[in-house]
Amino acid sequence: MINNFKKPDLNAPRYREHRLGLLNAETIKEFKEKKPLYSNIDNAKLKKIIKLYNVKLWKAVIEYRDGVELPDSLGYLFIGTCSSSKTVNTNYKLSNEYGKVLQNKNWETDGNLGKIFYTNWSTKYRFKNRELWRFVACRQFKRAVAKDYPSNWTKYVTMKNKYRVAHLYDNTEYTQSALKDYNEFEI
């Protein structure tokens, strides 16, 4: 049964928590004190360089199946294919247009969803307080993944439900099956 859709009030008051971004004047000042070579670059240009690097980074994550390793051993970013959620995935644009709750079924991806994964679980990425780190994608990155995913959804890593990303690095099962018939003397 299709329920009626209640339009959201776009003029309702909103609460937004004040956030302090990483590209603020204090952080840039500290960076320039640590790296005097870059002290003559103005702040606007430095921000532009950082943003350009980040754009190139997330474009590489979309382009390559295995994702991208972040610099300074901070972790690893990749896009994974997941089965659709059990809850209702509302298509707000169509629901708003027709006045009924309509679901997004992802027919072009056989019902699968694309998600952005971040992991720092590998032994190579072990650093102090690594459990406290997380990754939140910017709006442009999310929209680029949403645009590209339906056409290239088969190239991304398939993730199982309730399967830790860390287990992707445990290749013992795969390695044992591959080495079962291996003979180093046969060419």
Side-chain angles (χ1 to χ4, degrees), residues 28-103:
I28 292 175
K29 181 183 168 194
E30 288 176 13
F31 172 75
K32 287 182 177 182
E33 287 173 0
K34 282 185 180 179
K35 309 279 185 179
L37 180 65
Y38 303 107
S39 62
N40 59 352
I41 299 175
D42 63 331
N43 294 353
K45 189 170 184 177
L46 197 58
K47 283 183 180 182
K48 195 173 185 180
I49 291 168
I50 293 169
K51 287 182 181 180
L52 179 66
Y53 174 76
N54 290 340
V55 168
K56 289 190 180 283
L57 190 73
W58 61 254
K59 283 185 179 179
V61 171
I62 293 172
E63 184 178 340
Y64 298 112
R65 178 188 192 274
D66 294 327
V68 171
E69 182 179 346
L70 297 175
D72 296 327
S73 295
L74 286 178
Y76 195 70
L77 274 177
F78 67 95
I79 298 171
T81 297
C82 302
S83 58
S84 61
S85 63
K86 306 281 187 255
T87 60
V88 176
N89 187 3
T90 305
N91 186 338
Y92 288 99
K93 183 178 179 187
L94 288 176
S95 297
N96 197 10
E97 186 177 326
Y98 291 108
K100 301 285 182 189
V101 176
L102 300 175
Q103 295 182 23

Side-chain angles (χ1 to χ4, degrees), residues 86-132:
K86 306 281 187 255
T87 60
V88 176
N89 187 3
T90 305
N91 186 338
Y92 288 99
K93 183 178 179 187
L94 288 176
S95 297
N96 197 10
E97 186 177 326
Y98 291 108
K100 301 285 182 189
V101 176
L102 300 175
Q103 295 182 23
N104 188 2
K105 292 291 188 177
N106 303 321
W107 298 118
E108 58 274 355
T109 62
D110 290 342
N112 293 315
L113 301 172
K115 293 185 180 181
I116 302 166
F117 286 91
Y118 165 74
T119 182
N120 57 11
W121 189 257
S122 177
T123 56
K124 181 167 142 177
Y125 306 122
R126 299 285 169 124
F127 53 90
K128 191 175 184 178
N129 299 327
R130 69 177 171 79
E131 296 88 7
L132 301 176

Side-chain angles (χ1 to χ4, degrees), residues 17-28 47 50-51:
E17 187 175 321
H18 179 69
R19 293 184 179 184
L20 184 63
L22 288 177
L23 291 179
N24 57 25
E26 183 181 332
T27 309
I28 292 175
K47 283 183 180 182
I50 293 169
K51 287 182 181 180

Side-chain angles (χ1 to χ4, degrees), residues 158-169:
T158 304
M159 298 298 296
K160 299 174 189 171
N161 281 350
K162 297 185 180 178
Y163 188 75
R164 290 187 66 136
V165 176
H167 296 308
L168 289 176
Y169 299 104

